Amino acid sequence: MKKTYFLLLCCLATFSTALAQHQVSGKIIDTNGEIVPFASIYLKNSTKGASANVDGQYQLTVDKGNATLVFKAIGYKTVEKNINVTADMVVNQTLSIESYTLKDIVVRPNAEDPAFEIIRQAIKNRKKHLTEVESFSSDVYIKGLQKLVGAPKKFFGQDIQKMLELDTNRRGILYLSESQSIFSFKRPNKIHEEMVSSKVSGRNNSFSFNKASDLIINFYENLMLEGSGLSSRSFVSPIADNALFYYKYKLLGTTEENGVTINKIEVIPRRKNDPVFRGVVYIADNSWRLMGTSLDLTQAAGINFVDTLNISQQYNKVESVYMPTTVRFQFKGNVFGFKFEGYYMGIYSNYNIHPNFPKNHFTAEILKVTRAVNKKDSLYWMNNRPIPLTDEEKFDYKKKDSIALRKTSKQYLDSLEKKNNKFGIGKLFLSGYSINDRYNKKSIYFDPILGSVFFNTVEGAALKYGVTYRKTLEDRKYYSISPEVRYGFSNRMFTGNISANYYYDPLKRASVSASFGSSISDLNRYGSMSLRSNTFNSLLFERNLAKFYKKEYATVATTRELADGLQGSVAINYAKNYTLKNTSNYKFRDVKDEEYTSNNPFTPTTETPLFPTYSSFNIAADLTYTIGQTYITRPDGKFYQESRFPRLSLGYRKGIKGILSSDVDYDLLSVEIYQERISAGLFGYTSFVIGAGKFLNNNAVYYPDSKHFRGNNSTVFPPNLRKFRYLDFYQYSTDKQYLEAHIEHNFAGFFINKIPLLRKLKLEEIVGVNYLTQPNKKNYKEFYFGIERLGFGVSYGYAYDGNKKVEEGVRITYGF
């Protein structure tokens, strides 16, 4: 009875609160009747507010009684309006363009613009404003919109209108999402966010990837947008310590707002192609703090993927400081005739700049998304979204959500599969053939025949063909089974194997796998080159670079996260290993001064066994720990974020003699430290990997069980930081100790950007060093330099064995 009474009181309290609140809505235009998009509307003396949409419409929930609305937009005069809220009401507002005057300021010819002194004061106070708020919490609403405003009729033979569900003009929304979160921050870089609600158009059961931390941009920092993906370099803030070297400034005028003089200053790059902003900043007199920004990044500044990006911020007073209440990233671009535009916008409200965070509030989990966040209905969103939907957005939600619901029905999926699963020789030959059953979440994939045919001198013309069955379970769990067969027409050798994997705990990245059978494997356990590359090298250039052996094997492995950032894995392997020899010398042409070598890399002119037939039983264990690892937790998995700190790996592999007649007896201990893209600010970024190891016991080590290195004998190869560019694939494997290091720096166009004819190509300069020492290859070094762009690169380098130069030449890398 008491419990029932208590629940009744809670319901009555909630109902009475709802009755005490009303919706205030309206439209914001300027004095010419033009729409003012994205204006801010908030209650005076609070940070509770909303934003107008692109059509100037706004909506705000206000308590019953007297209230003062503040209407604010960059470039317009701020307006305060007193209202008496007794019911839902419409309050339209007209904003006048702000008149910024230059009264009492005389600018003489050749004299410095007054803006420079204002900027100097802002720079002088930069650190103070950067650190004046030690921590805060706030509510954050994020809205993301991406749309096509033009597209070609067809792309790779596909009808774009049908494929992307566009209108007849090939225009339409590609992505629309909203989310609400509670966001916490503590200096210098601790964050924690808990998503409250999420909505993604056309994906009824999906969770938004919106993240408040992605919208954090603080112009009080010297360098901006490091690691954002917009560019390999950072961008210089208009009030950075060295900003005067990169910018010129012009005072456009001043205005008064609530007794504060605000200076409108144009930000002008000194050099067109520096990584800098252009646009307008608003700085208050006396306090010299930022009051707002409207700054652009363009292709001239070196951004990728988009043509222009506008970053707009508005600050409101919270106690004695000013905090951003709206942040908007607005972009547009054109890629292969696809014209797109959109924005991501964050609205911050209910600031608390003196939070008392509980112990262990900040952990490696930076964002938590629970299963309930996408269960909010349309009434909830109508009453809680601070940016009203436009008619286009309403239509997009209605259309795509109904389509998404229909797409989950068995009838629809069966009709879809009937069309998509239609067999075609072209599919099977070029891209592979799939049979999907989306309703039951399973599929069968047949490898493409074209990629399954290859040639090497051991097997001659050969075929390697596989089929994969996959069954998806709840919450991104799945299992897969993959049988594979291989046959060489010259050596008449048939091998076959089957592998299975069960991914059973996405939150712990946990899986178990097993495989058994026989296979033809590369002598280098890391592989040397792809079967296709080796085919081309053999048939066209008479260079059989890859070497092979046969193994009959069984493997069982498991991997699991043991703690935040710590991943552990164990594998048990048994194999019986056989040497192979060349059986074919076929080639398309006879190349002068070239001749096929034997399958033993140490006796190139004579076919001799590299090792006797032997059995191997070994256990391998690995621990990998990422320092400062952060992650996002969602119901469908754990998603790690790129760390700013190195990753450490410890490995141990033991060959055990006697078990299943095993002939091996060794213990290999290895360590590695690795990190990619260490920011060097305007000078690009550095990546490195350093590894060392030692056979603590090498009583019986055969070549396939040695420590191998990622060598290269080819001019063209896929990029890999751990890969040597001139080291032989096989010659320098060891059963003793070793030390290797790979360091590469990417200058991100720092030099080429200064050459007018080349800067448009957006090429990035690279320099690198590779190093290896082991008992049979002491102080081997490689030095190289070159250029790259979007995964493709050309470099020239030199290799030294001690102090002796042993090789030099061009290397070409490719990647997708």
Side-chain angles (χ1 to χ4, degrees), residues 723-736:
K723 195 174 187 70
F724 292 90
R725 299 196 168 209
Y726 303 93
L727 186 73
D728 187 87
F729 288 129
Y730 306 104
Q731 293 287 330
Y732 303 106
S733 300
T734 184
D735 60 359
K736 297 180 177 64

Side-chain angles (χ1 to χ4, degrees), residues 2-74:
K2 290 183 177 179
K3 185 176 180 180
T4 304
Y5 180 68
F6 175 74
L7 289 173
L8 180 61
L9 284 177
C10 289
C11 292
L12 289 172
T14 302
F15 182 66
S16 62
T17 301
L19 289 176
Q21 292 184 323
H22 298 285
Q23 293 291 331
V24 177
S25 59
K27 189 171 184 179
I28 303 174
I29 58 174
D30 64 16
T31 51
N32 296 319
E34 298 293 328
I35 291 168
V36 180
F38 302 116
S40 294
I41 306 94
Y42 60 93
L43 294 174
K44 188 175 182 180
N45 299 322
S46 79
T47 58
K48 180 181 179 181
S51 172
N53 61 24
V54 70
D55 295 330
Q57 298 168 331
Y58 77 92
Q59 179 177 297
L60 181 65
T61 301
V62 181
D63 292 337
K64 186 176 181 179
N66 294 322
T68 300
L69 297 183
V70 180
F71 297 85
K72 190 174 184 179
I74 290 178

